Amino acid sequence: MGDELTGHAVDVLPAGGLDQKLKLGRPLRVKLGVDPTSPDVHLGFAFVLERLADFQRAGHQVVLIVGDYTARIGDPSGLSKERPILADDVLDENSKYFAEQAFRILDREQTEVRQNGEWLGQLSYADTVRLARTMTVARLLERDDFAKRFSAHVPISLSELLYPVMQAYDSVAIEADIEIGGTDQRFNLLAGRDVMPQYGLEAQVVITYPLLVGTDGELKMSKSRGNYIGITEPPAEMFGKTMSIPDKALEQWWELLVGAEPHPGDPMAWKLELARRVTACWHGAEGAAAGEEHFTRVVRRHEAPQEVPALALPPGELIHLPALLVESLGVGSTSEARRLIQQGGVKLDGVAAPGLDVPRELLAGALLQVGKRRFARLSA
């Protein structure tokens, strides 16, 4: 009965649970938790949002839980250390921007967007203690990343241990019928099944999906690792980044982002077709054509693009290149910018930049190139 809703699923737990939910004869409440520590929706998360859209097309109600409150606790999410906690205003802005991107995939009318601060912020100390009683420390240490850190004597804060329980309470608050997520969230999702009956609710069904590997071909696509393609990135960036993935990632990317239809056998032809499909999905046929033209001209022919944006230099006789790259060229951090410069990945009129601080007169009028795909004409 529910087979059409579980394409690509890795886990559907418990067995037969989804069919039982569907027999209720009403729209089901399908929950997905969203991390607001970064605003970009990347291709891996877009794949999961598409699975939510499948439920919407079948007439069910999607509930996006923006974890504004749990983000203030710090979820390691498989990392070896606790995440840094961002300022409240940054989290709020990220949440709004993320939701707007999600509506490129989801039906706004069938989507309920909630922030878990609505209910978690109202819990008293007694409420929190009652919630904590629903799960043992031994059960929490079954979570893979917690178990590894505990065995390695790496500190785990009490707030981190509370995270799965707090996420489980989200399911109580919105009375979820189903919760979906990546396979890395399996423990947290199953925690909802443990906690919900303690509050008199029927346990949710858990559905997990594979994690799209990042552009490095090794680790899962992740905003914190920087190996991702955001759905709002310009066509040239999207096309070029897709072309940069290693051949070993092609099969999974094609299966998850394109589908089961046949693909070209030659790796280069296969990758080109994948890049066209991915870029067209978010920018249309014209965007895909523009992205391919840019890639052919700049990467394959080693020419400058036809149109190069102008970039006005900041004031000062000595320009700190890392800051310029971060503020105006989309480089993720000053440390990444320094690495690019030191490795010769930043060029001025085709010649590697001479250092981190460059005299203004050497920059004015120069063609700045960052990596293979980013260009700007510098002006005084």
Side-chain angles (χ1 to χ4, degrees):
M1 183 186 298
D3 291 349
E4 67 277 9
L5 294 173
T6 55
H8 298 297
V10 175
D11 301 299
V12 182
L13 302 170
L18 179 57
D19 287 343
Q20 291 301 313
K21 292 284 189 181
L22 292 170
K23 289 177 182 177
L24 294 174
R26 59 169 173 79
L28 300 177
R29 292 176 65 76
V30 187
K31 170 196 172 193
L32 175 66
V34 175
D35 165 30
T37 54
S38 180
D40 295 320
V41 172
H42 59 64
L43 295 181
F45 202 86
F47 166 74
V48 178
L49 291 175
E50 288 285 359
R51 308 289 69 78
L52 278 182
D54 291 339
F55 278 95
Q56 287 188 326
R57 287 185 281 269
H60 301 292
Q61 177 72 39
V62 163
V63 186
L64 277 183
I65 305 292
V66 178
D68 68 316
Y69 200 84
T70 40
R72 293 170 172 85
I73 296 174
D75 173 27
S77 291
L79 302 179
S80 60
K81 59 183 179 180
E82 187 173 6
R83 278 182 175 165
I85 298 175
L86 301 182
D88 290 357
D89 57 340
V90 175
L91 290 172
D92 291 341
E93 283 302 312
N94 286 352
S95 299
K96 292 174 186 176
Y97 186 55
F98 189 100
E100 287 306 310
Q101 291 178 75
F103 289 137
R104 295 186 64 181
I105 301 169
L106 300 174
D107 181 341
R108 191 184 295 261
E109 297 303 315
Q110 287 180 274
T111 304
E112 186 179 320
V113 180
R114 305 286 294 275
Q115 294 188 325
N116 62 11
E118 295 176 35
W119 47 84
L120 295 182
Q122 302 303 312
L123 294 179
S124 67
Y125 176 71
D127 294 330
T128 303
V129 170
R130 180 196 173 191
L131 176 58
R133 286 195 187 114
T134 64
M135 194 168 294
T136 67
V137 172
R139 175 80 172 99
L140 288 168
L141 289 177
E142 290 175 13
R143 178 167 151 163
D144 186 56
D145 53 323
F146 287 163
K148 288 177 181 176
R149 289 166 63 188
F150 186 77
S151 298
H153 303 288
V154 175
I156 305 170
S157 69
L158 284 174
S159 64
E160 290 180 275
L161 289 176
L162 280 175
Y163 183 91
V165 186
M166 292 298 195
Q167 181 173 318
Y169 191 77
D170 293 347
S171 295
V172 172
I174 62 118
E175 299 186 5
D177 294 300
I178 300 167
E179 183 170 11
I180 77 169
T183 52
D184 60 334
Q185 288 291 310
R186 187 177 189 271
F187 181 92
N188 289 348
L189 273 54
L190 288 172
R193 287 188 50 79
D194 294 338
V195 171
M196 292 178 75
Q198 305 297 320
Y199 289 84
L201 298 173
E202 183 178 337
Q204 64 189 13
V205 169
V206 166
I207 304 176
T208 67
Y209 294 97
L211 303 171
L212 184 69
V213 69
T215 53
D216 54 5
E218 297 291 340
L219 302 171
K220 73 170 184 175
M221 185 172 288
S222 166
K223 292 174 284 190
S224 60
R225 293 187 176 99
N227 62 347
Y228 73 99
I229 300 176
I231 66 172
T232 60
E233 290 191 31
E237 276 294 294
M238 188 172 287
F239 196 99
K241 282 187 176 181
T242 304
M243 289 299 299
S244 76
I245 69 172
D247 291 350
K248 63 183 178 182
L250 274 170
E251 186 172 352
Q252 194 213 26
W253 277 52
W254 186 269
E255 179 185 354
L256 298 187
L257 302 180
V258 175
E261 60 184 275
H263 56 73
D266 174 70
M268 178 55 74
W270 187 358
K271 202 174 291 187
L272 280 166
E273 185 59 23
L274 175 65
R276 292 179 192 121
R277 299 286 190 99
V278 168
T279 309
C281 179
W282 304 104
H283 296 287
E286 289 186 6
E292 184 167 4
E293 189 279 332
H294 185 276
F295 178 81
T296 300
R297 182 183 182 91
V298 174
V299 179
R300 304 184 83 174
R301 296 179 187 163
H302 305 288
E303 301 172 2
Q306 286 184 325
E307 295 184 11
V308 178
L311 174 60
L313 291 169
E317 292 306 311
L318 201 61
I319 306 300
H320 189 56
L321 270 187
L324 182 67
L325 300 186
V326 170
E327 294 168 8
S328 303
L329 271 297
V331 175
S333 66
T334 53
S335 60
E336 181 185 353
R338 290 191 191 95
R339 179 182 57 79
L340 283 169
I341 294 167
Q342 290 163 354
Q343 294 178 352
V346 177
K347 297 180 180 179
L348 298 168
D349 291 330
V351 178
L356 301 181
D357 296 293
V358 182
R360 187 184 192 85
E361 62 266 22
L362 293 182
L363 295 175
L367 178 68
L368 174 65
Q369 179 180 351
V370 182
K372 293 182 178 179
R373 297 183 297 274
R374 283 177 279 193
F375 292 81
R377 178 68 67 181
L378 301 176
S379 63

